Amino acid sequence: MSVYDKYQVVIGLEVHAQLSTKSKMYCADSTAFGVSPNTNVSPLTLGHPGTLPVVNEEAIVSAIKMGVAMNCSIRNENGFARKNYFYADLPKGYQITQDKTPICGEGQLKISVDGKEKNIGIERIHMEEDAGKSTHDLDPFNTLIDLNRAGVPLIEIVSKPDLRSAEEAYQYLIEVRKLVRYLDICDGNMEEGSLRCDANISVFLKEKEDKFENFGDRCEVKNMNSMRNVMKAIEFEFKRQIDVIEAGGTIDQQTRTFNAADGSTAMMRSKENANDYRYFPEPDLPIVYVSNEEIEKIKAEMPKLSSELFNEYVNDLKLSEYDAGILSEDRDFAAYFNELITFTTNYKAATNFMIGPVKSYLNEHAVEITEFPLKAKSIAEMLKMVEDNKMSFNVASSKLFDALVKQPEADVSEMAQKLNLIQDSDEGFIEGIIDEVLAKNAEKVEAYKNGNKNLLGMFMGQVMKASKGKANPKVASKLIQDKLDS
Amino acid sequence: MEIDDKLVEKLAKLSKLEIAAEEKTKLKANFGKIIDLVDKLQEINTDGVEPLIYLTENKNILRKDVVENMVDKVEALKNAPDKDSDYFKVPKVLKK
């Protein structure tokens, strides 16, 4: 048994999600990404005296949606606070955030690891603004400041220290990302920084009870820009803390930074050097009051979430959890499937078509389902042909599918005719071919009759070939067998 | 609350200011006066009184999510002590 096996890791995550509003949190600057530096700015963003913030109501709605999706309590009276610190990318000298009155209180998020479900507690969700961007490596003598991002709305989702492994943390982030994308409040891209994660990590001896008093002092790790890196940072920090403890040392509360190059963490600042943010209520922003009626209205307008669709697919459509998981992972993909099943009740075939050819097409062409050329109705028509024994699933999902995605406006059955893909179930037509094939292979027929039943496949192949693939295989197979066994 | 050098140094650090030794004495005296004023206020019994945070009773002064009122880059950078055509320049934040 390794020394690491004696310890349990405890993780709490703080996730910042950049909201997809058109304008900033407290002023009307654009939030457009990728524009020239310092163009999405106004006197307020620049921190000029005499400017006053005004809250973007869309940001409030987005925060409430996330809270509802995480089963949080929603606060009616929302106040804002100033978090004071001095840094060049924050011209005002303070960040307007929420301190004692976060818009969303306790809630939970269900995750699933190795088929086991677990509820992770949510401590709070609050609204705040992003800082500008500092570039340190463009100019040898100066740091360059771009304030386009300064003031872009964020929500910070703080979990309880309920996560017990790197894998659980990973799954938690997957679920958070799914939620923000389903709700369409954030694009959820970690690499580009629209979703950011800090991890609070501590350890305790497994022989002790799993409760807060027994947890060790925690370290906060920052700067992980992918979900994989969050896992790596947790694994590194788990071992580092145990190594320190086992060597007789103690873990001091500190902030550490993750180094993506080697997967390690290094100290940024100790508790003694921790910032003193001197929070106080933001006097420039009056209370934002959200009535229960308004919260109910927002709730009613929310789309179905991934977990709801997953349950519907499993319980109502009787799909496997695996299939339901893939279908419900992406909101638009699920929406396409939902449209498809308005035309067909063959849910399993529809699922196979989505997970098979459609998903392959999206992967190969690196496009989203929203850019997929074929209408759901066309796929439904293909499925109907398969159902009516006019072609096999394989032919529909390869030859016909390939032709249709190139000519998405074409009529499905005309295309099938044109490509000569319609199978013949006419027994007279198929019997004629079988007779020819059997006549040509008299010796093999004899061998079959003498017990070499494996030859059935050969006959089948010959018949299909002679019919140029148009013979319905089910009918053909039955007829061949009937003839040989007669 | 005692106003000592340590407190003045801490506040200077938080404000990213350098304070000369002779200034410290002056500042300590000024800070002392501010604290005295607050101590005086503390004498009032506020048990059961809701804190007054806002002097206005306005609620829900909100804005639609519409882009407007931006200034262009030239104007944005105009008053900066150091800049190039795109960026504000500040002393190196990260030392390598």
Side-chain angles (χ1 to χ4, degrees):
Chain A
M1 195 177 102
S2 141
V3 63
Y4 300 116
D5 295 332
K6 290 198 297 185
Y7 291 87
Q8 171 62 54
V9 70
V10 177
I11 308 146
L13 295 180
E14 292 169 15
V15 176
H16 285 89
Q18 210 175 57
L19 299 177
S20 329
T21 53
K22 294 184 199 72
S23 66
K24 290 185 180 176
M25 182 73 209
Y26 307 111
C27 65
D29 306 358
S30 167
T31 56
F33 190 74
V35 299
S36 172
N38 293 305
T39 47
N40 291 343
V41 294
S42 64
L44 187 120
T45 301
L46 298 167
H48 283 277
T51 54
L52 286 172
V54 188
V55 172
N56 182 343
E57 71 179 13
E58 191 59 33
I60 306 271
V61 172
S62 298
I64 292 173
K65 281 182 183 169
M66 194 60 181
V68 170
M70 293 183 130
N71 288 312
C72 295
S73 55
I74 310 292
R75 183 184 300 276
N76 296 115
E77 286 209 7
N78 284 281
F80 292 85
R82 286 189 186 179
K83 177 180 179 177
N84 299 280
Y85 65 93
F86 188 94
Y87 203 78
D89 58 20
L90 184 79
K92 297 197 303 302
Y94 54 87
Q95 178 195 39
I96 306 180
T97 176
Q98 291 191 293
D99 179 27
K100 298 204 163 59
T101 58
I103 186 154
C104 308
E106 293 189 341
Q108 69 262 334
L109 181 64
K110 194 184 277 176
I111 63 164
S112 168
V113 176
D114 299 331
K116 259 196 257 166
E117 289 189 340
K118 183 174 175 183
N119 273 318
I120 305 303
I122 302 299
E123 179 71 34
R124 59 186 279 165
I125 304 174
H126 65 260
M127 298 177 282
E128 58 186 32
E129 59 178 328
D130 212 340
K133 216 176 143 201
S134 308
T135 306
H136 305 290
D137 51 6
L138 222 58
D139 178 320
F141 308 109
N142 300 287
T143 290
L144 303 180
I145 305 291
D146 171 13
L147 295 174
N148 284 347
R149 201 182 62 184
V152 169
L154 301 174
I155 51 172
E156 179 174 339
I157 305 149
V158 183
S159 88
K160 289 185 182 290
D162 285 354
L163 299 157
R164 291 289 176 276
S165 68
E167 178 62 23
E168 285 186 10
Y170 183 82
Q171 290 304 327
Y172 173 87
L173 289 172
I174 292 273
E175 291 303 322
V176 170
R177 187 175 64 180
K178 241 190 250 175
L179 280 184
V180 296
R181 285 182 174 169
Y182 260 82
L183 295 169
D184 204 12
I185 58 172
C186 163
D187 69 25
N189 192 326
M190 256 191 110
E191 285 74 13
E192 282 173 17
S194 31
L195 205 63
R196 279 167 251 161
C197 175
D198 301 334
N200 285 296
I201 303 163
S202 63
V203 299
F204 69 94
L205 274 170
K206 277 182 185 163
E207 65 194 39
K208 290 190 180 166
E209 202 188 330
D210 187 338
K211 58 177 184 183
F212 190 75
E213 301 87 270
N214 290 333
F215 299 167
D217 270 336
R218 59 171 204 262
C219 294
E220 183 181 6
V221 184
K222 291 179 174 290
N223 295 331
M224 299 156 290
N225 66 345
S226 76
M227 296 195 188
R228 293 272 161 218
N229 283 346
V230 173
M231 288 180 88
K232 278 188 199 160
I234 291 167
E235 280 153 10
F236 179 89
E237 195 57 23
F238 174 61
K239 291 193 166 165
R240 185 192 71 84
Q241 293 187 11
I242 294 168
D243 290 345
V244 170
I245 294 166
E246 288 289 318
T250 51
I251 298 298
D252 296 322
Q253 201 175 318
Q254 55 181 226
T255 306
R256 300 179 68 84
T257 178
F258 178 73
N259 179 358
D262 62 0
S264 68
T265 69
M267 189 172 93
M268 268 170 85
R269 53 179 181 261
S270 64
K271 195 185 177 184
E272 293 73 48
N273 291 319
N275 274 322
D276 177 355
Y277 293 122
R278 294 151 291 149
Y279 283 96
F280 65 85
E282 168 57 80
D284 289 342
L285 285 175
I287 289 283
V288 174
Y289 186 83
V290 189
S291 69
N292 291 338
E293 292 72 43
E294 283 168 288
I295 295 168
E296 285 308 316
K297 196 171 154 257
I298 292 168
K299 237 185 234 184
E301 285 165 3
M302 275 171 53
K304 273 189 191 166
L305 299 172
S306 172
S307 54
E308 290 172 68
L309 289 174
F310 178 88
N311 289 336
E312 281 182 19
Y313 294 162
V314 171
N315 298 329
D316 304 344
L317 307 187
K318 308 291 174 208
L319 298 176
S320 71
E321 292 196 355
Y322 175 81
D323 287 347
I326 296 178
L327 289 171
S328 63
E329 196 177 309
D330 175 76
R331 184 187 60 151
D332 296 325
F333 196 74
Y336 192 99
F337 175 73
N338 287 344
E339 196 194 339
L340 177 58
I341 59 171
T342 59
F343 302 113
T344 175
T345 51
N346 195 344
Y347 306 124
K348 182 60 192 161
T351 302
N352 290 343
F353 218 100
M354 291 298 292
I355 293 177
V358 175
K359 208 157 177 66
S360 308
Y361 178 91
L362 301 179
N363 291 341
E364 271 165 39
H365 294 77
V367 292
E368 301 289 324
I369 186 82
T370 44
E371 300 157 274
F372 181 63
L374 270 186
K375 289 197 181 75
K377 198 160 182 296
S378 302
I379 292 183
E381 284 174 38
M382 285 191 258
L383 290 172
K384 181 83 172 70
M385 287 181 177
V386 175
E387 221 170 289
D388 294 346
N389 284 326
K390 285 187 182 158
M391 70 180 66
S392 69
F393 184 88
N394 282 340
V395 170
S397 64
S398 57
K399 287 184 184 152
L400 185 54
F401 178 82
D402 290 348
L404 283 169
V405 287
K406 284 181 196 122
Q407 278 175 269
E409 298 307 319
D411 181 88
V412 176
S413 70
E414 274 172 30
M415 181 63 89
Q417 297 280 1
K418 202 176 117 192
L419 296 172
N420 215 3
L421 296 174
I422 305 286
Q423 282 170 354
D424 217 316
S425 310
D426 177 52
E427 297 200 2
F429 163 76
I430 298 173
E431 263 190 289
I433 295 172
I434 293 174
D435 288 342
E436 270 175 48
V437 169
L438 296 187
K440 263 192 236 166
N441 296 284
E443 280 173 32
K444 290 199 171 118
V445 173
E446 209 50 41
Y448 178 89
K449 288 193 171 170
N450 289 330
N452 189 353
K453 303 287 176 200
N454 290 335
L455 285 164
L456 190 64
M458 189 277 299
F459 291 122
M460 183 68 194
Q462 294 278 325
V463 170
M464 290 309 289
K465 201 175 158 196
S467 78
K468 299 196 172 66
K470 287 178 72 183
N472 180 305
K474 270 184 212 154
V475 177
S477 159
K478 188 175 174 302
L479 287 174
I480 294 172
Q481 206 148 13
D482 286 353
K483 278 194 185 289
L484 287 170
D485 292 343
S486 68
Chain B
M1 189 179 192
E2 202 199 330
I3 313 288
D4 53 15
D5 281 355
K6 222 177 122 195
L7 181 68
V8 175
E9 278 155 22
K10 185 188 167 195
L11 291 172
K13 198 178 148 204
L14 289 170
S15 333
K16 296 280 189 287
L17 292 173
E18 278 172 30
I19 293 174
E22 65 269 22
E23 273 181 303
K24 264 185 206 161
T25 322
K26 207 172 128 194
L27 278 172
K28 271 195 279 185
N30 282 342
F31 288 162
K33 282 183 197 157
I34 296 168
I35 297 294
D36 287 347
L37 174 71
V38 175
D39 281 344
K40 186 79 193 158
L41 292 173
Q42 299 278 36
E43 288 171 15
I44 302 163
N45 183 350
T46 54
D47 290 351
V49 180
E50 280 285 305
L52 175 73
I53 297 174
Y54 305 102
L55 292 173
T56 147
E57 285 182 5
N58 285 337
K59 265 183 193 164
N60 290 8
I61 312 294
L62 298 170
R63 187 171 57 74
K64 295 266 177 227
D65 185 22
V66 175
V67 174
E68 57 189 354
N69 294 334
M70 290 196 283
V71 298
D72 69 32
K73 181 157 43 183
V74 176
E75 266 199 276
L77 294 169
K78 203 166 123 191
N79 296 316
D82 198 3
K83 68 208 162 195
D84 63 17
S85 56
D86 278 332
Y87 294 98
F88 295 95
K89 286 185 178 183
V90 299
K92 266 251 185 274
V93 180
L94 280 186
K95 287 199 179 80
K96 284 200 175 165

